[in-house]
Amino acid sequence: MIRLTGLTKRFPGRTVAANAVDGIDLEIAEGKLVTLLGPSGCGKTTTLRLIAGLERADAGAIELDGKVVSDPRNGVFAGAHRRPIGIVFQSYAIWPHMSVVQNVMFPLRVNKPRVRAAAARKKALDALDLVGLADFAERPAPALSGGQQQRVALARALVREPKVLLLDEPLSNLDAGLRDRMRDEIRAVQQRLGITTVFVTHDQDEALAVSDDVVVMNSGSIVERGRPQEIYTRPQQEFTARFLGVSNTLTGVVTEVSDAGVCVQVGPGRLVCRAGSGLSAGDTVSVFMRPESFGFSRKQHDAEAWKGTVEFSIYHGDCWDYYVRLGDDVLKVRVYKEKVGLAHGDPIFLQPEPEDAIVLPAH
């Protein structure tokens, strides 16, 4: 279990700003994988480094596995080597002059209490087997591919059987296809071991794929926290909606609030959305809609369909993205199973899916 209470970190010459952590409270249950997600400079990596003992907090407490390891007010600070953690960095830091098994043995041979060579080797081989690299144990580390080096770094982090695993952008140096495979393997290993894990990334797809909970951060603070499907489909904050790829934003006015939902008048037409808390008739709101939240037709089948024209299109292989002009608004619409794409100026009719609309008070 991990508990952060009032955790604060400020760097010299700065107030609460980029790369600072501003009094955050966070609790992670044993065996869960929680992702810190946010843009560069939001404080997520600093938070992880504070948990690891690689930075000293200015205020607040850190508790790992029931033990307080950092509390400046009471003079408590345990260094990284005294914390029950394993950590994988963005740079894998593989020793080039060592074999694969020697790299994984290294923490056991240098940290106290020091493990005898034979026992350390056995533990290292077990860790390599866990990540599917047992057959590469004697290979020189530089002879491995990027994905294999990433597995070595993961095995090295796990070899001490830590209570907490910390992953700092571990996939960012891999190509797209390998990144997806390694992401899945990390999740599989984490669930197999039941190890409490903090995963830091700026990539929303990674966060949604591997997490039990996603913690969205910005400017050193936690914006919101929730299960991946909740964060994706029903974000409670505008920052979260925008960061998680809700690329369509319409400004509207609430015309009616009832048990059936919230009726909102937007530029292209009318939407009856899920009931939003704290909204009243006359309120100005922002309506967020994902690109895939539209029905699509070349002909008008519904009198309330939104008529627009294609500005331009992008082909992705499994789908088309159309940028559709509707008056002053341009919406991004994603269409699957579309064999022949549309061109600039082609007419298009959109049927929005109101249940997918995210309605939040306008700021």
mmCIF file of all heavy atoms in Angstrom, residues 322-349:
data_model
loop_
_atom_site.group_PDB
_atom_site.id
_atom_site.type_symbol
_atom_site.label_atom_id
_atom_site.label_comp_id
_atom_site.label_asym_id
_atom_site.label_seq_id
_atom_site.Cartn_x
_atom_site.Cartn_y
_atom_site.Cartn_z
ATOM 1 N N TYR A 322 -12.623 12.463 -40.533
ATOM 2 C CA TYR A 322 -13.127 13.566 -41.345
ATOM 3 C C TYR A 322 -13.235 14.818 -40.483
ATOM 4 O O TYR A 322 -13.731 14.761 -39.353
ATOM 5 C CB TYR A 322 -14.511 13.229 -41.913
ATOM 6 C CG TYR A 322 -14.510 12.116 -42.919
ATOM 7 C CD1 TYR A 322 -15.140 10.903 -42.630
ATOM 8 C CD2 TYR A 322 -13.874 12.264 -44.149
ATOM 9 C CE1 TYR A 322 -15.137 9.868 -43.551
ATOM 10 C CE2 TYR A 322 -13.870 11.231 -45.072
ATOM 11 C CZ TYR A 322 -14.493 10.037 -44.772
ATOM 12 O OH TYR A 322 -14.477 9.017 -45.682
ATOM 13 N N TYR A 323 -12.778 15.914 -41.032
ATOM 14 C CA TYR A 323 -12.947 17.202 -40.372
ATOM 15 C C TYR A 323 -14.085 17.906 -41.083
ATOM 16 O O TYR A 323 -13.978 18.267 -42.261
ATOM 17 C CB TYR A 323 -11.639 17.991 -40.413
ATOM 18 C CG TYR A 323 -10.604 17.381 -39.500
ATOM 19 C CD1 TYR A 323 -9.890 16.237 -39.870
ATOM 20 C CD2 TYR A 323 -10.372 17.910 -38.229
ATOM 21 C CE1 TYR A 323 -8.955 15.655 -39.016
ATOM 22 C CE2 TYR A 323 -9.434 17.334 -37.372
ATOM 23 C CZ TYR A 323 -8.735 16.216 -37.777
ATOM 24 O OH TYR A 323 -7.830 15.640 -36.930
ATOM 25 N N VAL A 324 -15.194 18.059 -40.354
ATOM 26 C CA VAL A 324 -16.455 18.464 -40.959
ATOM 27 C C VAL A 324 -16.833 19.854 -40.484
ATOM 28 O O VAL A 324 -16.884 20.127 -39.271
ATOM 29 C CB VAL A 324 -17.578 17.467 -40.580
ATOM 30 C CG1 VAL A 324 -18.899 17.885 -41.222
ATOM 31 C CG2 VAL A 324 -17.193 16.050 -41.008
ATOM 32 N N ARG A 325 -17.113 20.741 -41.432
ATOM 33 C CA ARG A 325 -17.536 22.093 -41.080
ATOM 34 C C ARG A 325 -19.045 22.150 -40.965
ATOM 35 O O ARG A 325 -19.779 21.747 -41.867
ATOM 36 C CB ARG A 325 -17.056 23.105 -42.119
ATOM 37 C CG ARG A 325 -17.544 24.532 -41.825
ATOM 38 C CD ARG A 325 -16.828 25.580 -42.630
ATOM 39 N NE ARG A 325 -15.425 25.704 -42.258
ATOM 40 C CZ ARG A 325 -14.978 26.348 -41.176
ATOM 41 N NH1 ARG A 325 -15.852 26.914 -40.331
ATOM 42 N NH2 ARG A 325 -13.703 26.414 -40.919
ATOM 43 N N LEU A 326 -19.481 22.666 -39.810
ATOM 44 C CA LEU A 326 -20.897 22.934 -39.581
ATOM 45 C C LEU A 326 -21.015 24.389 -39.131
ATOM 46 O O LEU A 326 -20.824 24.698 -37.958
ATOM 47 C CB LEU A 326 -21.487 22.014 -38.514
ATOM 48 C CG LEU A 326 -21.432 20.514 -38.802
ATOM 49 C CD1 LEU A 326 -20.221 19.877 -38.131
ATOM 50 C CD2 LEU A 326 -22.697 19.832 -38.307
ATOM 51 N N GLY A 327 -21.217 25.279 -40.055
ATOM 52 C CA GLY A 327 -21.242 26.705 -39.727
ATOM 53 C C GLY A 327 -19.884 27.175 -39.259
ATOM 54 O O GLY A 327 -18.872 27.022 -39.961
ATOM 55 N N ASP A 328 -19.822 27.715 -38.039
ATOM 56 C CA ASP A 328 -18.554 28.207 -37.490
ATOM 57 C C ASP A 328 -17.732 27.106 -36.828
ATOM 58 O O ASP A 328 -16.576 27.341 -36.443
ATOM 59 C CB ASP A 328 -18.827 29.316 -36.455
ATOM 60 C CG ASP A 328 -19.434 30.559 -37.079
ATOM 61 O OD1 ASP A 328 -19.167 30.802 -38.270
ATOM 62 O OD2 ASP A 328 -20.183 31.262 -36.370
ATOM 63 N N ASP A 329 -18.315 25.929 -36.675
ATOM 64 C CA ASP A 329 -17.634 24.834 -35.977
ATOM 65 C C ASP A 329 -17.047 23.833 -36.969
ATOM 66 O O ASP A 329 -17.623 23.578 -38.035
ATOM 67 C CB ASP A 329 -18.606 24.097 -35.058
ATOM 68 C CG ASP A 329 -19.154 24.992 -33.963
ATOM 69 O OD1 ASP A 329 -18.345 25.564 -33.206
ATOM 70 O OD2 ASP A 329 -20.390 25.122 -33.862
ATOM 71 N N VAL A 330 -15.886 23.285 -36.608
ATOM 72 C CA VAL A 330 -15.297 22.177 -37.363
ATOM 73 C C VAL A 330 -15.153 21.011 -36.396
ATOM 74 O O VAL A 330 -14.473 21.119 -35.365
ATOM 75 C CB VAL A 330 -13.929 22.547 -37.971
ATOM 76 C CG1 VAL A 330 -13.310 21.330 -38.648
ATOM 77 C CG2 VAL A 330 -14.082 23.683 -38.976
ATOM 78 N N LEU A 331 -15.808 19.885 -36.710
ATOM 79 C CA LEU A 331 -15.787 18.716 -35.848
ATOM 80 C C LEU A 331 -14.957 17.608 -36.475
ATOM 81 O O LEU A 331 -14.973 17.429 -37.695
ATOM 82 C CB LEU A 331 -17.208 18.193 -35.615
ATOM 83 C CG LEU A 331 -18.220 19.165 -35.017
ATOM 84 C CD1 LEU A 331 -19.541 18.454 -34.767
ATOM 85 C CD2 LEU A 331 -17.690 19.778 -33.728
ATOM 86 N N LYS A 332 -14.240 16.887 -35.624
ATOM 87 C CA LYS A 332 -13.502 15.703 -36.062
ATOM 88 C C LYS A 332 -14.403 14.488 -35.880
ATOM 89 O O LYS A 332 -14.904 14.229 -34.779
ATOM 90 C CB LYS A 332 -12.224 15.541 -35.237
ATOM 91 C CG LYS A 332 -11.389 14.321 -35.611
ATOM 92 C CD LYS A 332 -10.149 14.246 -34.723
ATOM 93 C CE LYS A 332 -9.322 13.008 -34.993
ATOM 94 N NZ LYS A 332 -8.138 12.931 -34.109
ATOM 95 N N VAL A 333 -14.619 13.730 -36.954
ATOM 96 C CA VAL A 333 -15.515 12.577 -36.940
ATOM 97 C C VAL A 333 -14.739 11.356 -37.398
ATOM 98 O O VAL A 333 -14.113 11.381 -38.474
ATOM 99 C CB VAL A 333 -16.728 12.811 -37.861
ATOM 100 C CG1 VAL A 333 -17.647 11.592 -37.851
ATOM 101 C CG2 VAL A 333 -17.484 14.061 -37.441
ATOM 102 N N ARG A 334 -14.770 10.308 -36.600
ATOM 103 C CA ARG A 334 -14.045 9.069 -36.939
ATOM 104 C C ARG A 334 -15.037 8.022 -37.446
ATOM 105 O O ARG A 334 -16.041 7.739 -36.792
ATOM 106 C CB ARG A 334 -13.285 8.539 -35.744
ATOM 107 C CG ARG A 334 -12.546 7.231 -35.997
ATOM 108 C CD ARG A 334 -11.428 7.045 -34.991
ATOM 109 N NE ARG A 334 -10.366 8.016 -35.216
ATOM 110 C CZ ARG A 334 -9.317 8.176 -34.394
ATOM 111 N NH1 ARG A 334 -9.220 7.427 -33.311
ATOM 112 N NH2 ARG A 334 -8.395 9.068 -34.655
ATOM 113 N N VAL A 335 -14.722 7.467 -38.612
ATOM 114 C CA VAL A 335 -15.622 6.514 -39.256
ATOM 115 C C VAL A 335 -14.854 5.240 -39.555
ATOM 116 O O VAL A 335 -13.802 5.268 -40.206
ATOM 117 C CB VAL A 335 -16.203 7.096 -40.570
ATOM 118 C CG1 VAL A 335 -17.165 6.098 -41.207
ATOM 119 C CG2 VAL A 335 -16.905 8.416 -40.298
ATOM 120 N N TYR A 336 -15.374 4.093 -39.072
ATOM 121 C CA TYR A 336 -14.764 2.791 -39.325
ATOM 122 C C TYR A 336 -15.495 2.104 -40.481
ATOM 123 O O TYR A 336 -16.619 2.432 -40.826
ATOM 124 C CB TYR A 336 -14.825 1.923 -38.075
ATOM 125 C CG TYR A 336 -13.962 2.444 -36.942
ATOM 126 C CD1 TYR A 336 -14.482 3.341 -36.011
ATOM 127 C CD2 TYR A 336 -12.634 2.065 -36.825
ATOM 128 C CE1 TYR A 336 -13.692 3.838 -34.973
ATOM 129 C CE2 TYR A 336 -11.838 2.551 -35.802
ATOM 130 C CZ TYR A 336 -12.364 3.426 -34.881
ATOM 131 O OH TYR A 336 -11.573 3.916 -33.864
ATOM 132 N N LYS A 337 -14.820 1.124 -41.072
ATOM 133 C CA LYS A 337 -15.386 0.326 -42.168
ATOM 134 C C LYS A 337 -15.860 1.209 -43.320
ATOM 135 O O LYS A 337 -16.916 0.987 -43.904
ATOM 136 C CB LYS A 337 -16.529 -0.546 -41.654
ATOM 137 C CG LYS A 337 -16.095 -1.561 -40.610
ATOM 138 C CD LYS A 337 -17.238 -2.420 -40.138
ATOM 139 C CE LYS A 337 -16.776 -3.428 -39.088
ATOM 140 N NZ LYS A 337 -17.882 -4.271 -38.589
ATOM 141 N N GLU A 338 -15.078 2.219 -43.604
ATOM 142 C CA GLU A 338 -15.386 3.131 -44.709
ATOM 143 C C GLU A 338 -14.406 2.847 -45.836
ATOM 144 O O GLU A 338 -13.208 3.109 -45.720
ATOM 145 C CB GLU A 338 -15.256 4.583 -44.226
ATOM 146 C CG GLU A 338 -15.457 5.636 -45.291
ATOM 147 C CD GLU A 338 -16.922 5.824 -45.651
ATOM 148 O OE1 GLU A 338 -17.772 5.162 -45.044
ATOM 149 O OE2 GLU A 338 -17.189 6.637 -46.530
ATOM 150 N N LYS A 339 -14.878 2.276 -46.930
ATOM 151 C CA LYS A 339 -13.975 1.842 -47.997
ATOM 152 C C LYS A 339 -13.522 2.991 -48.892
ATOM 153 O O LYS A 339 -12.382 3.036 -49.326
ATOM 154 C CB LYS A 339 -14.656 0.753 -48.835
ATOM 155 C CG LYS A 339 -14.909 -0.532 -48.059
ATOM 156 C CD LYS A 339 -15.555 -1.594 -48.926
ATOM 157 C CE LYS A 339 -15.796 -2.884 -48.133
ATOM 158 N NZ LYS A 339 -16.443 -3.929 -48.958
ATOM 159 N N VAL A 340 -14.445 3.891 -49.210
ATOM 160 C CA VAL A 340 -14.117 5.000 -50.106
ATOM 161 C C VAL A 340 -14.271 6.298 -49.332
ATOM 162 O O VAL A 340 -15.356 6.624 -48.850
ATOM 163 C CB VAL A 340 -15.031 5.013 -51.344
ATOM 164 C CG1 VAL A 340 -14.657 6.172 -52.257
ATOM 165 C CG2 VAL A 340 -14.932 3.689 -52.090
ATOM 166 N N GLY A 341 -13.188 7.030 -49.210
ATOM 167 C CA GLY A 341 -13.215 8.250 -48.428
ATOM 168 C C GLY A 341 -13.885 9.395 -49.165
ATOM 169 O O GLY A 341 -14.020 9.393 -50.390
ATOM 170 N N LEU A 342 -14.282 10.390 -48.375
ATOM 171 C CA LEU A 342 -14.864 11.601 -48.936
ATOM 172 C C LEU A 342 -13.783 12.651 -49.127
ATOM 173 O O LEU A 342 -12.741 12.629 -48.476
ATOM 174 C CB LEU A 342 -15.956 12.134 -48.002
ATOM 175 C CG LEU A 342 -17.160 11.215 -47.792
ATOM 176 C CD1 LEU A 342 -18.113 11.823 -46.780
ATOM 177 C CD2 LEU A 342 -17.864 10.944 -49.108
ATOM 178 N N ALA A 343 -14.056 13.588 -50.024
ATOM 179 C CA ALA A 343 -13.087 14.621 -50.362
ATOM 180 C C ALA A 343 -13.584 15.982 -49.899
ATOM 181 O O ALA A 343 -14.730 16.143 -49.465
ATOM 182 C CB ALA A 343 -12.841 14.620 -51.871
ATOM 183 N N HIS A 344 -12.705 16.958 -49.990
ATOM 184 C CA HIS A 344 -13.031 18.332 -49.607
ATOM 185 C C HIS A 344 -14.297 18.807 -50.325
ATOM 186 O O HIS A 344 -14.443 18.654 -51.541
ATOM 187 C CB HIS A 344 -11.866 19.259 -49.976
ATOM 188 C CG HIS A 344 -12.190 20.710 -49.800
ATOM 189 N ND1 HIS A 344 -12.255 21.313 -48.572
ATOM 190 C CD2 HIS A 344 -12.495 21.674 -50.717
ATOM 191 C CE1 HIS A 344 -12.570 22.579 -48.728
ATOM 192 N NE2 HIS A 344 -12.714 22.829 -50.025
ATOM 193 N N GLY A 345 -15.234 19.360 -49.552
ATOM 194 C CA GLY A 345 -16.455 19.913 -50.120
ATOM 195 C C GLY A 345 -17.616 18.944 -50.203
ATOM 196 O O GLY A 345 -18.751 19.360 -50.466
ATOM 197 N N ASP A 346 -17.365 17.640 -49.983
ATOM 198 C CA ASP A 346 -18.456 16.667 -50.051
ATOM 199 C C ASP A 346 -19.436 16.883 -48.890
ATOM 200 O O ASP A 346 -19.019 17.134 -47.758
ATOM 201 C CB ASP A 346 -17.915 15.239 -49.984
ATOM 202 C CG ASP A 346 -17.260 14.797 -51.282
ATOM 203 O OD1 ASP A 346 -17.430 15.507 -52.292
ATOM 204 O OD2 ASP A 346 -16.585 13.753 -51.285
ATOM 205 N N PRO A 347 -20.745 16.771 -49.185
ATOM 206 C CA PRO A 347 -21.731 16.919 -48.105
ATOM 207 C C PRO A 347 -21.746 15.696 -47.198
ATOM 208 O O PRO A 347 -21.432 14.578 -47.620
ATOM 209 C CB PRO A 347 -23.050 17.053 -48.859
ATOM 210 C CG PRO A 347 -22.822 16.325 -50.140
ATOM 211 C CD PRO A 347 -21.378 16.550 -50.487
ATOM 212 N N ILE A 348 -22.104 15.905 -45.939
ATOM 213 C CA ILE A 348 -22.140 14.821 -44.976
ATOM 214 C C ILE A 348 -23.204 15.146 -43.934
ATOM 215 O O ILE A 348 -23.441 16.319 -43.609
ATOM 216 C CB ILE A 348 -20.748 14.634 -44.315
ATOM 217 C CG1 ILE A 348 -20.711 13.394 -43.437
ATOM 218 C CG2 ILE A 348 -20.354 15.845 -43.507
ATOM 219 C CD1 ILE A 348 -19.313 13.082 -42.899
ATOM 220 N N PHE A 349 -23.882 14.109 -43.428
ATOM 221 C CA PHE A 349 -24.910 14.286 -42.405
ATOM 222 C C PHE A 349 -24.492 13.513 -41.154
ATOM 223 O O PHE A 349 -24.188 12.328 -41.220
ATOM 224 C CB PHE A 349 -26.266 13.790 -42.912
ATOM 225 C CG PHE A 349 -26.805 14.617 -44.047
ATOM 226 C CD1 PHE A 349 -26.512 14.277 -45.363
ATOM 227 C CD2 PHE A 349 -27.574 15.745 -43.792
ATOM 228 C CE1 PHE A 349 -26.988 15.044 -46.408
ATOM 229 C CE2 PHE A 349 -28.060 16.519 -44.837
ATOM 230 C CZ PHE A 349 -27.763 16.169 -46.148
#
